[in-house]
C-alpha cells in the first residue's frame, strides 16, 4: 500500500512538472505572455474554427513607438521595463479566451475570438490610451512612451490564413506609424486602412 501511495505521489509530481514545462515552452520569459510558438498554433486553430463555424475573430498587432530610441536613450533595462508594462496592460484588457503574445522584439499580437473589427478597435484603443497615460522614470526625470496598433478581422473569403490576417494588421500598423504614431488603424482585405 505504501509503495502504491509513493508511486501515485511521484506520478502526480511528474504530471505537475510536465505541465510546468509545457507552459514554459509557450511563454515569453521577459513579459510572461505567450510566445511566437503558441501564437502560431493559436492562429491556425482560429482560422480552422472561423472557416468551419463562420465565427468572427480579430487580431491586434501592437508596436512600441520609437523603441530603439528608448533603448538608446534610457538603456535596455528600461526598455524591458516598458515591454513588461505593456504586457501587464494587455493582460488587464484581455478576456479569458483572448490570447496575448509577444510577436517579436517590441511587437505584440492579440488574438480576439468572437470579436468583430469594431470591438477589436475598442480594445486596441483602451490599451493604447492606458499606455499613453503611463509615466516612466529615468534619473529623476519622467518620460512617456506610446504605441501604435493595427487591427484586422478574419474574412473567410479574403483573409483566411494566419499570414494574410497578420499581414493585414501589419499593413495597418505601418499606416499608423506613417500617420504620426500613437494611433489605431484598421486594415481591410482590399488594402485600404482606416483610422
Amino acid at each position: 500500500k505504501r509503495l502504491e501511495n509513493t508511486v501515485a505521489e511521484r506520478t502526480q509530481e511528474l504530471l505537475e512538472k510536465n505541465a510546468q514545462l509545457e507552459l514554459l515552452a509557450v511563454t515569453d520569459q521577459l513579459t510572461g505572455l505567450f510566445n511566437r510558438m503558441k501564437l502560431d498554433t493559436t492562429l491556425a486553430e482560429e482560422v480552422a474554427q472561423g472557416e468551419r463555424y463562420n465565427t468572427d475573430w480579430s487580431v491586434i498587432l501592437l508596436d512600441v513607438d520609437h523603441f530603439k530610441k528608448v533603448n538608446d536613450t534610457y538603456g535596455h533595462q528600461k526598455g524591458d521595463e516598458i515591454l513588461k508594462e505593456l504586457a501587464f496592460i494587455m493582460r488587464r484588457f484581455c478576456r479569458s479566451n483572448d490570447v496575448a503574445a509577444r510577436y517579436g522584439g517590441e511587437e505584440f499580437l492579440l488574438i480576439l475570438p468572437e470579436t468583430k473589427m469594431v470591438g477589436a478597435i475598442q480594445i486596441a484603443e483602451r490599451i493604447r490610451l492606458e499606455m499613453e497615460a503611463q509615466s516612466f522614470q529615468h534619473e529623476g526625470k519622467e518620460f512617456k512612451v506610446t504605441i501604435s496598433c493595427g487591427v484586422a478581422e478574419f474574412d473567410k473569403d479574403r483573409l483566411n490564413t494566419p499570414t494574410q490576417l497578420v499581414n493585414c494588421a501589419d499593413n495597418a500598423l505601418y499606416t499608423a506609424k506613417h500617420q504620426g504614431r500613437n494611433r489605431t488603424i484598421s486594415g481591410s482585405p482590399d488594402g485600404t486602412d482606416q483610422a
Side-chain angles (χ1 to χ4, degrees):
K1 184 74 173 169
R2 189 172 11 168
L3 180 60
E4 286 177 5
N5 286 341
T6 302
V7 168
E9 287 173 11
R10 298 283 190 255
T11 301
Q12 183 60 36
E13 288 174 11
L14 188 58
L15 289 172
E16 290 171 7
K17 294 289 184 194
N18 282 338
Q20 289 173 351
L21 285 173
E22 286 177 22
L23 183 61
L24 284 172
V26 296
T27 303
D28 176 64
Q29 186 178 2
L30 177 68
T31 63
L33 297 178
F34 287 118
N35 64 17
R36 186 69 183 266
M37 185 171 78
K38 173 68 172 177
L39 182 66
D40 291 343
T41 302
T42 305
L43 282 168
E45 290 168 356
E46 288 298 323
V47 165
Q49 287 280 101
E51 288 177 346
R52 184 176 301 123
Y53 301 112
N54 202 27
T55 55
D56 296 315
W57 64 283
S58 299
V59 297
I60 304 170
L61 189 60
L62 307 93
D63 184 70
V64 178
D65 295 329
H66 302 292
F67 191 67
K68 182 182 182 329
K69 183 178 177 184
V70 169
N71 278 335
D72 291 346
T73 305
Y74 305 110
H76 289 276
Q77 288 182 331
K78 188 58 68 174
D80 287 350
E81 179 186 323
I82 289 163
L83 296 178
K84 289 177 191 176
E85 181 64 23
L86 177 54
F88 175 77
I89 292 169
M90 289 171 64
R91 277 193 293 274
R92 280 191 33 227
F93 289 102
C94 282
R95 303 162 301 179
S96 61
N97 62 336
D98 295 339
V99 174
R102 188 169 179 194
Y103 190 66
E106 71 275 11
E107 288 189 328
F108 296 82
L109 194 111
L110 270 172
I111 300 173
L112 306 168
E114 302 293 329
T115 306
K116 294 183 97 31
M117 178 74 78
V118 66
I121 291 169
Q122 290 172 350
I123 292 168
E125 276 296 286
R126 287 182 194 136
I127 294 168
R128 186 188 66 76
L129 291 169
E130 184 71 20
M131 189 67 182
E132 182 182 38
Q134 299 304 308
S135 294
F136 297 93
Q137 298 287 325
H138 180 73
E139 297 178 355
K141 295 181 182 175
E142 185 177 291
F143 69 98
K144 300 277 191 175
V145 175
T146 60
I147 62 170
S148 297
C149 307
V151 182
E153 181 180 353
F154 174 76
D155 183 312
K156 190 174 180 179
D157 298 317
R158 297 187 293 173
L159 289 179
N160 55 15
T161 70
T163 301
Q164 290 172 335
L165 193 60
V166 172
N167 282 346
C168 183
D170 193 37
N171 289 338
L173 175 61
Y174 183 79
T175 300
K177 296 280 189 182
H178 278 270
Q179 289 185 3
R181 295 179 168 81
N182 192 24
R183 64 192 67 229
T184 298
I185 300 290
S186 61
S188 66
D190 62 10
T192 59
D193 301 324
Q194 298 176 1

